[in-house]
Amino acid sequence: MTATLVYTHLSEIADDFAPDLAEAIRRLGPQDFRRRDDLPFPEYLCRAISGQQISVKAAQSIWTRVVASAEGKSLVDHFAACDSDGLRACGLSNAKVKTIQGIARTHLDEGLDVPTLKPLPAEERAARLTTLWGVGAWTADMMNMFYFGEEDIWPDGDVAARKTLEKLTSKRRKTSRTAERFRPYRSWLAIYMWAHVDAPPDVGEADIPS
């Protein structure tokens, strides 16, 4: 469905029970659902892990050093073979080094590429990703939404999306239940919640977590 049709669909659903939410959606207008699948999936997942819980500027700086440390070799091969000290020297924490090395080694042993993961239902794909040490439900949701393009994911572990939906609807109802009303476009609902948080008074653009 196009962004304009999704916008109309979400607005109409919100009209039935949450006028504040409907107004927020209408004020923002149609939003983009931007895919981020320009890297091989294992590399993208590693990059996402490396940038979590730090500023965008710091994340970019660290990833630049990580890529340089591979000296032109495949990043996955580099991560699997590199000693922990080498990756920590790039600015990665011990936990992130462990997670990134685990992702790389799992990919080489079992496969974490698009042909392996894309055919899976979103729930099964998320379950597989969260078996990786250091990869939680929030990260799996972000991968499902923005790498694999799943349109019906509600990332209840995302504080900004959850709190914004709660504020625009009701604090007495679980946001996961509220989001159910918006199937099969719950990912779009989350995009609107992020956009609302970052929007100026009249218009805004979704700020997709990386």
Side-chain angles (χ1 to χ4, degrees), residues 5-200:
L5 290 175
V6 170
Y7 157 74
T8 302
H9 180 71
L10 298 185
S11 300
E12 291 175 350
I13 292 173
D15 273 335
D16 289 339
F17 75 102
D20 289 345
L21 176 59
E23 174 59 25
I25 291 171
R26 289 199 173 92
R27 184 164 53 85
L28 289 163
Q31 296 290 300
D32 291 330
F33 192 149
R34 299 194 300 271
R35 295 282 298 279
R36 295 183 172 180
D37 56 355
D38 54 320
L39 292 174
F41 179 69
E43 289 185 19
Y44 180 82
L45 179 55
C46 289
R47 182 172 183 172
I49 292 294
S50 75
Q52 288 179 0
Q53 300 179 329
I54 58 177
S55 70
V56 172
K57 184 176 180 180
Q60 291 173 339
S61 178
I62 290 171
W63 189 252
T64 297
R65 292 196 293 271
V66 167
V67 172
S69 74
E71 298 179 339
K73 295 179 293 190
S74 158
L75 285 180
V76 171
D77 291 339
H78 174 61
F79 295 153
C82 184
D83 63 87
S84 299
D85 289 341
L87 291 176
R88 280 197 295 267
C90 297
L92 295 170
S93 67
N94 289 334
K96 289 181 179 180
V97 168
K98 182 176 179 179
T99 301
I100 286 171
Q101 288 181 325
I103 291 167
R105 290 164 183 165
T106 299
H107 171 62
L108 294 176
D109 291 342
E110 303 173 16
L112 288 174
D113 48 15
V114 171
T116 302
L117 295 175
K118 181 66 175 176
L120 300 177
E123 295 82 1
E124 189 174 337
R125 190 184 303 123
R128 177 158 186 190
L129 292 176
T130 54
T131 62
L132 299 165
W133 193 93
V135 176
W138 181 87
T139 301
D141 285 342
M142 297 303 106
M143 297 301 106
N144 265 331
M145 292 171 67
F146 298 115
Y147 195 93
F148 292 101
E150 298 285 353
E151 295 186 295
D152 193 32
I153 303 293
W154 174 249
D156 205 51
D158 187 273
V159 175
R162 188 176 69 248
K163 292 295 185 183
T164 303
L165 184 58
E166 183 180 85
K167 180 179 179 180
L168 293 172
T169 55
S170 170
K171 294 183 178 180
R172 295 189 297 273
R173 176 181 292 140
K174 290 183 178 180
T175 51
S176 57
R177 287 183 57 198
T178 300
E180 286 288 326
R181 294 173 177 259
F182 294 88
R183 283 182 177 272
Y185 301 111
R186 290 178 296 167
S187 298
W188 289 88
L189 177 64
I191 287 169
Y192 274 90
M193 296 303 93
W194 290 316
H196 181 76
V197 170
D198 293 333

